Structure formats: C-alpha cells, structure tokens
Amino acid sequence: DTGVSQNPRHKITKRGQNVTFRCDPISEHNRLYWYRQTLGQGPEFLTYFQNEAQLEKSRLLSDRFSAERPKGSFSTLEIQRTEQGDSAMYLCASSLEKGEAGYTFGSGTRLTVV
Amino acid sequence: DQQVKQNSPSLSVQEGRISILNCDYTNSMFDYFLWYKKYPAEGPTFLISISSIKDKNEDGRFTVFLNKSAKHLSLHIVPSQPGDSAVYFCAASPPYNFNKFYFGSGTKLNVKP
C-alpha cells in the first residue's frame, strides 16, 4: 500500500470555476477525513466519513463545498464557484475505526484561485 | 477561535541538544493529544500521542509531557538531529472523539549541524 493518495497535487483555477479533488485512502482504513490548511495555520477539520456515510461537517464547509465517498472507498471534494479565500492546501487523511493512533495524511492538493 | 496554540513559530537548536516544542490549549474537555511532523511538500506524519490519564509518554528520542492543570503540553526531542528539521503541529481532541482534531499553527524546528 502506498499510503493516502491525493490528486491533483496542484490546481490553479479562475474565480467562479468549479474544482474537484480526489483522495484514495489506505485500503483497510474505513474512516476518511478532509482538512484544509491555509498559510501559517494548522490543518482545520472540514468533514469525515465512516465508510460511505458522511458523519460530521464543519461549519467551514459552506454550501459551495460538497464531499462524497461512494462505496466507502475513494472520496471527492468539490468546490463550486471558487473564491480567492478558498486558496489553501486541502489535506485528506484516513484511519482505522479508532483514530487514536493518529491519521495517515496524504500530501495534499494545493488550490490557488486567481 | 484558536483552541490549540503554538506560540513559537520557529525554533533553532544545535544538533545533539534538546529541542522543546510547546503547545497550549484552552478547552479543558480535550483529553487526547498528538504531535505531527511535517516536511515540505508532504502531509503531516503522526509522531507521538498522549492521553489525559498520563502525564508523560516516551518513544525513543521523543517524549511528550502533559500538564492538565496548566493546559499545556510539550514535545522534547533528545538528542536533536538535522533530520528532525520540520514543522511540528500539536493537535487535540475531545473525549471519545478521534474524528476531529484541533491543530495548532505549528512550530518550525531547525536543527543546525
């Protein structure tokens, strides 16, 4: 297993466009998380899935954001009508049922909205 | 509202000496804490954790100390090595909820050879 994989690594988009990121977790991990990290800050929780069920969403996740995890495998995070404030690193992580051993993070997708 | 704070954005230490990274939190309900290490262009990597029932946890060169009354934890690295140069994040979670961690803003450690 090669760990948590995120694609693309970098995305530059014009304001108002829609973007979609993909995350492939470690295969045996049933929990998947999305975090956002802006410059000079630590990661901020966005949402998490247990298998295919999205169990919690942060209020940071506005109506323009949607995440899915069909069949409990890979996940996608879509941002509609991007704004400059959406520019950030979007991190995906996965873990086993009990995450006290910590998550395994992917390398992230860096989004730049111009 | 920053519930986990790392007030030192950077720290420089000589190789072989001790590195001490500090973290403060405001929510007394937090009862599980982790440290992550992050190299450039990579995601954070889990380093070490501590539960609130303990005040110390050790793993090789890394030791985390927890002072619940002061709402303070620290990560000690002894001896520091150049390969330890990275950004270190502390993170905290509420009881029985490992699904959402609150992260500090990170401390960039530079270990000089």
mmCIF file of all heavy atoms in Angstrom, chain B residues 70-88:
data_model
loop_
_atom_site.group_PDB
_atom_site.id
_atom_site.type_symbol
_atom_site.label_atom_id
_atom_site.label_comp_id
_atom_site.label_asym_id
_atom_site.label_seq_id
_atom_site.Cartn_x
_atom_site.Cartn_y
_atom_site.Cartn_z
ATOM 1 N N ALA B 70 -2.298 23.176 33.783
ATOM 2 C CA ALA B 70 -1.850 24.360 33.043
ATOM 3 C C ALA B 70 -2.353 24.351 31.608
ATOM 4 O O ALA B 70 -2.120 25.311 30.868
ATOM 5 C CB ALA B 70 -0.325 24.438 33.047
ATOM 6 N N LYS B 71 -3.017 23.275 31.201
ATOM 7 C CA LYS B 71 -3.468 23.102 29.813
ATOM 8 C C LYS B 71 -2.279 23.316 28.862
ATOM 9 O O LYS B 71 -2.327 24.134 27.921
ATOM 10 C CB LYS B 71 -4.613 24.056 29.459
ATOM 11 C CG LYS B 71 -5.869 23.860 30.288
ATOM 12 C CD LYS B 71 -7.030 24.623 29.651
ATOM 13 C CE LYS B 71 -8.246 24.642 30.541
ATOM 14 N NZ LYS B 71 -8.089 25.484 31.730
ATOM 15 N N HIS B 72 -1.268 22.565 29.123
ATOM 16 C CA HIS B 72 -0.004 22.741 28.395
ATOM 17 C C HIS B 72 0.618 21.385 28.100
ATOM 18 O O HIS B 72 0.599 20.484 28.949
ATOM 19 C CB HIS B 72 0.962 23.575 29.235
ATOM 20 C CG HIS B 72 2.309 23.762 28.604
ATOM 21 N ND1 HIS B 72 2.568 24.733 27.668
ATOM 22 C CD2 HIS B 72 3.476 23.082 28.783
ATOM 23 C CE1 HIS B 72 3.827 24.642 27.284
ATOM 24 N NE2 HIS B 72 4.395 23.657 27.956
ATOM 25 N N LEU B 73 1.109 21.240 26.886
ATOM 26 C CA LEU B 73 1.905 20.058 26.588
ATOM 27 C C LEU B 73 3.165 20.472 25.852
ATOM 28 O O LEU B 73 3.228 21.560 25.251
ATOM 29 C CB LEU B 73 1.130 18.998 25.806
ATOM 30 C CG LEU B 73 0.620 19.253 24.397
ATOM 31 C CD1 LEU B 73 0.448 17.928 23.688
ATOM 32 C CD2 LEU B 73 -0.713 19.969 24.455
ATOM 33 N N SER B 74 4.150 19.610 25.950
ATOM 34 C CA SER B 74 5.416 19.902 25.291
ATOM 35 C C SER B 74 5.980 18.628 24.690
ATOM 36 O O SER B 74 5.702 17.522 25.166
ATOM 37 C CB SER B 74 6.416 20.530 26.274
ATOM 38 O OG SER B 74 6.687 19.647 27.337
ATOM 39 N N LEU B 75 6.736 18.814 23.657
ATOM 40 C CA LEU B 75 7.432 17.724 22.973
ATOM 41 C C LEU B 75 8.923 17.951 23.137
ATOM 42 O O LEU B 75 9.419 19.017 22.788
ATOM 43 C CB LEU B 75 7.061 17.696 21.491
ATOM 44 C CG LEU B 75 7.805 16.672 20.633
ATOM 45 C CD1 LEU B 75 7.392 15.250 21.014
ATOM 46 C CD2 LEU B 75 7.548 16.920 19.146
ATOM 47 N N HIS B 76 9.606 16.945 23.691
ATOM 48 C CA HIS B 76 11.044 17.005 23.859
ATOM 49 C C HIS B 76 11.697 16.052 22.868
ATOM 50 O O HIS B 76 11.287 14.883 22.776
ATOM 51 C CB HIS B 76 11.447 16.623 25.282
ATOM 52 C CG HIS B 76 11.007 17.618 26.310
ATOM 53 N ND1 HIS B 76 11.709 17.829 27.475
ATOM 54 C CD2 HIS B 76 9.954 18.466 26.350
ATOM 55 C CE1 HIS B 76 11.100 18.758 28.187
ATOM 56 N NE2 HIS B 76 10.019 19.152 27.528
ATOM 57 N N ILE B 77 12.698 16.530 22.185
ATOM 58 C CA ILE B 77 13.454 15.697 21.253
ATOM 59 C C ILE B 77 14.907 15.701 21.727
ATOM 60 O O ILE B 77 15.548 16.755 21.782
ATOM 61 C CB ILE B 77 13.377 16.240 19.815
ATOM 62 C CG1 ILE B 77 11.919 16.436 19.386
ATOM 63 C CG2 ILE B 77 14.084 15.278 18.856
ATOM 64 C CD1 ILE B 77 11.767 17.105 18.009
ATOM 65 N N VAL B 78 15.369 14.508 22.117
ATOM 66 C CA VAL B 78 16.741 14.400 22.634
ATOM 67 C C VAL B 78 17.404 13.121 22.116
ATOM 68 O O VAL B 78 16.848 12.044 22.333
ATOM 69 C CB VAL B 78 16.757 14.365 24.183
ATOM 70 C CG1 VAL B 78 18.197 14.321 24.698
ATOM 71 C CG2 VAL B 78 16.015 15.549 24.771
ATOM 72 N N PRO B 79 18.570 13.182 21.500
ATOM 73 C CA PRO B 79 19.209 14.404 21.024
ATOM 74 C C PRO B 79 18.611 14.831 19.691
ATOM 75 O O PRO B 79 18.138 14.003 18.918
ATOM 76 C CB PRO B 79 20.663 13.950 20.840
ATOM 77 C CG PRO B 79 20.543 12.500 20.462
ATOM 78 C CD PRO B 79 19.340 11.968 21.205
ATOM 79 N N SER B 80 18.627 16.089 19.416
ATOM 80 C CA SER B 80 18.098 16.597 18.148
ATOM 81 C C SER B 80 19.052 16.252 17.011
ATOM 82 O O SER B 80 20.282 16.277 17.180
ATOM 83 C CB SER B 80 17.913 18.114 18.225
ATOM 84 O OG SER B 80 17.031 18.452 19.274
ATOM 85 N N GLN B 81 18.468 15.941 15.865
ATOM 86 C CA GLN B 81 19.246 15.597 14.676
ATOM 87 C C GLN B 81 18.811 16.493 13.520
ATOM 88 O O GLN B 81 17.648 16.929 13.479
ATOM 89 C CB GLN B 81 19.024 14.129 14.297
ATOM 90 C CG GLN B 81 19.438 13.144 15.377
ATOM 91 C CD GLN B 81 19.063 11.718 15.039
ATOM 92 O OE1 GLN B 81 18.394 11.451 14.042
ATOM 93 N NE2 GLN B 81 19.498 10.791 15.888
ATOM 94 N N PRO B 82 19.697 16.751 12.559
ATOM 95 C CA PRO B 82 19.310 17.603 11.419
ATOM 96 C C PRO B 82 18.044 17.111 10.701
ATOM 97 O O PRO B 82 17.245 17.906 10.221
ATOM 98 C CB PRO B 82 20.550 17.558 10.518
ATOM 99 C CG PRO B 82 21.677 17.345 11.470
ATOM 100 C CD PRO B 82 21.124 16.417 12.539
ATOM 101 N N GLY B 83 17.856 15.792 10.663
ATOM 102 C CA GLY B 83 16.672 15.225 10.026
ATOM 103 C C GLY B 83 15.378 15.530 10.752
ATOM 104 O O GLY B 83 14.285 15.304 10.225
ATOM 105 N N ASP B 84 15.484 16.061 11.967
ATOM 106 C CA ASP B 84 14.289 16.459 12.720
ATOM 107 C C ASP B 84 13.770 17.816 12.261
ATOM 108 O O ASP B 84 12.689 18.241 12.686
ATOM 109 C CB ASP B 84 14.585 16.529 14.222
ATOM 110 C CG ASP B 84 14.972 15.189 14.813
ATOM 111 O OD1 ASP B 84 14.464 14.153 14.326
ATOM 112 O OD2 ASP B 84 15.781 15.170 15.760
ATOM 113 N N SER B 85 14.537 18.499 11.448
ATOM 114 C CA SER B 85 14.104 19.820 10.967
ATOM 115 C C SER B 85 12.818 19.671 10.158
ATOM 116 O O SER B 85 12.772 18.992 9.132
ATOM 117 C CB SER B 85 15.203 20.451 10.100
ATOM 118 O OG SER B 85 16.359 20.676 10.870
ATOM 119 N N ALA B 86 11.767 20.286 10.645
ATOM 120 C CA ALA B 86 10.432 20.151 10.061
ATOM 121 C C ALA B 86 9.499 21.095 10.808
ATOM 122 O O ALA B 86 9.901 21.766 11.760
ATOM 123 C CB ALA B 86 9.931 18.715 10.194
ATOM 124 N N VAL B 87 8.260 21.129 10.379
ATOM 125 C CA VAL B 87 7.226 21.855 11.127
ATOM 126 C C VAL B 87 6.503 20.848 12.017
ATOM 127 O O VAL B 87 6.107 19.774 11.546
ATOM 128 C CB VAL B 87 6.233 22.560 10.193
ATOM 129 C CG1 VAL B 87 5.134 23.248 11.017
ATOM 130 C CG2 VAL B 87 6.944 23.574 9.310
ATOM 131 N N TYR B 88 6.341 21.180 13.281
ATOM 132 C CA TYR B 88 5.695 20.303 14.235
ATOM 133 C C TYR B 88 4.347 20.904 14.645
ATOM 134 O O TYR B 88 4.272 22.065 15.066
ATOM 135 C CB TYR B 88 6.570 20.097 15.470
ATOM 136 C CG TYR B 88 7.781 19.253 15.154
ATOM 137 C CD1 TYR B 88 8.887 19.803 14.518
ATOM 138 C CD2 TYR B 88 7.809 17.893 15.476
ATOM 139 C CE1 TYR B 88 9.985 19.027 14.194
ATOM 140 C CE2 TYR B 88 8.908 17.111 15.164
ATOM 141 C CZ TYR B 88 9.995 17.683 14.526
ATOM 142 O OH TYR B 88 11.072 16.907 14.211
#
